[in-house]
């Protein structure tokens, strides 16, 4: 089952990628990789305004999960923030190529941890993924984290939500590391510093 693709009218998916190590793709500082001209027809098909840039609405309409449900709006906004290098609030073709490759790498990881081939990630599969990513978290916290994103409470996390949760966890980890100077696993923050970091994650 395809866990993410473009809309049902376009039956395409990223090209084959060699399996990456069991680590999450790093948050890009900019568009990585070169333009892929093969992606241009896909980009053009969802560029409804013909402006050469995709709005949040266009990108959300384009990206779907394996069951053809649209990506969660927060995931789409997260992708735009990550790949909108010129900060104009849209995704140009160069940025689109980087976004597509990034999701393709996550797709490879998602399929690896989707052990039962259900097209979703269960709590047990999620726990194993976090361990493989190098996180050593208590079962209580992992359960809380999973339930936070498994909003329907059906023990099924879709591809877009899996990506969203892992990127959010990575960002929070990076924030913690900035303050954990002695690497002892404890930090001290003022109330305003805490609020500032929370706001930056929005």
């Amino acid at each position: 089952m395809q866990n993410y693709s473009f809309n049902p009218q376009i039956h395409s998916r990223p090209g084959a990628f060699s399996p990456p190590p069991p680590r999450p793709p790093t948050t890009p500082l900019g568009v990585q990789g070169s333009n892929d001209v093969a992606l241009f027809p896909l980009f053009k098909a969802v560029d409804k305004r013909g402006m050469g840039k995709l709005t949040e609405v266009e990108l959300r309409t384009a990206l779907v999960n394996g069951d053809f449900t649209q990506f969660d709006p927060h995931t789409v906004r997260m992708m735009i923030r990550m790949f909108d290098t010129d900060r104009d609030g849209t995704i140009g073709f160069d940025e689109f190529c980087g976004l597509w490759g990034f999701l393709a790498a996550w797709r490879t990881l998602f399929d690896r941890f989707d052990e039962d081939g259900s097209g979703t990630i269960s709590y047990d599969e999620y726990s194993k993924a976090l361990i493989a990513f190098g996180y050593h978290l208590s079962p209580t916290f992992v359960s809380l984290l999973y339930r936070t994103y498994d909003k329907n409470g059906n023990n099924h996390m879709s591809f877009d939500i899996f990506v969203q949760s892992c990127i959010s966890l990575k960002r929070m980890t990076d924030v913690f590391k900035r303050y954990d100077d002695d690497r002892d696993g404890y930090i001290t923050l003022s109330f305003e510093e805490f609020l500032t970091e929370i706001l930056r994650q929005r």
Side-chain angles (χ1 to χ4, degrees):
M1 178 180 290
Q2 185 170 335
N3 299 103
Y4 96 95
S5 66
F6 276 81
N7 58 25
Q9 294 97 308
I10 306 172
H11 300 285
S12 300
R13 59 176 293 176
F17 282 77
S18 58
R23 307 288 294 184
T26 57
T27 301
L29 297 176
V31 176
Q32 298 180 3
S34 59
N35 264 359
D36 186 348
V37 294
L39 292 178
F40 187 72
L42 300 177
F43 180 85
K44 186 176 180 180
V46 297
D47 180 18
K48 302 300 184 184
R49 303 168 306 137
M51 301 295 291
K53 292 177 178 292
L54 303 182
T55 64
E56 177 184 332
V57 172
E58 288 171 330
L59 190 59
R60 188 179 180 223
T61 300
L63 294 174
V64 297
N65 292 294
D67 59 358
F68 296 116
T69 57
Q70 290 184 345
F71 269 34
D72 180 79
H74 184 73
T75 306
V76 176
R77 287 192 292 272
M78 180 181 285
M79 293 295 101
I80 292 176
R81 286 197 302 270
M82 290 169 63
F83 288 93
D84 178 21
T85 55
D86 58 7
R87 296 295 181 260
D88 66 353
T90 63
I91 294 294
F93 180 60
D94 289 348
E95 297 163 338
F96 177 76
C97 290
L99 185 155
W100 181 262
F102 184 74
L103 287 179
W106 271 106
R107 154 95 190 193
T108 300
L109 289 175
F110 181 87
D111 287 345
R112 178 177 298 176
F113 293 115
D114 178 20
E115 296 176 346
D116 60 2
S118 66
T120 60
I121 295 292
S122 67
Y123 169 76
D124 289 338
E125 292 167 339
Y126 189 71
S127 298
K128 293 177 182 178
L130 294 185
I131 292 172
F133 292 160
Y135 292 106
H136 302 285
L137 304 168
S138 70
T140 300
F141 181 79
V142 174
S143 178
L144 172 62
L145 185 63
Y146 187 86
R147 292 197 312 270
T148 298
Y149 289 94
D150 179 26
K151 298 175 183 177
N152 294 324
N154 57 9
N155 198 37
H156 290 94
M157 182 182 287
S158 59
F159 171 72
D160 60 324
I161 299 300
F162 176 73
V163 172
Q164 181 187 138
S165 69
C166 291
I167 292 176
S168 296
L169 181 59
K170 175 65 165 56
R171 286 178 172 177
M172 290 185 285
T173 301
D174 290 343
V175 169
F176 187 91
K177 286 181 177 179
R178 287 206 303 270
Y179 290 93
D180 187 19
D181 295 327
D182 54 4
R183 296 295 186 264
D184 66 349
Y186 295 90
I187 62 175
T188 300
L189 292 179
S190 70
F191 184 52
E192 286 195 2
E193 286 174 327
F194 171 75
L195 292 178
T196 298
E197 296 299 346
I198 292 296
L199 291 173
R200 284 175 176 169
Q201 301 308 306
R202 292 175 63 84

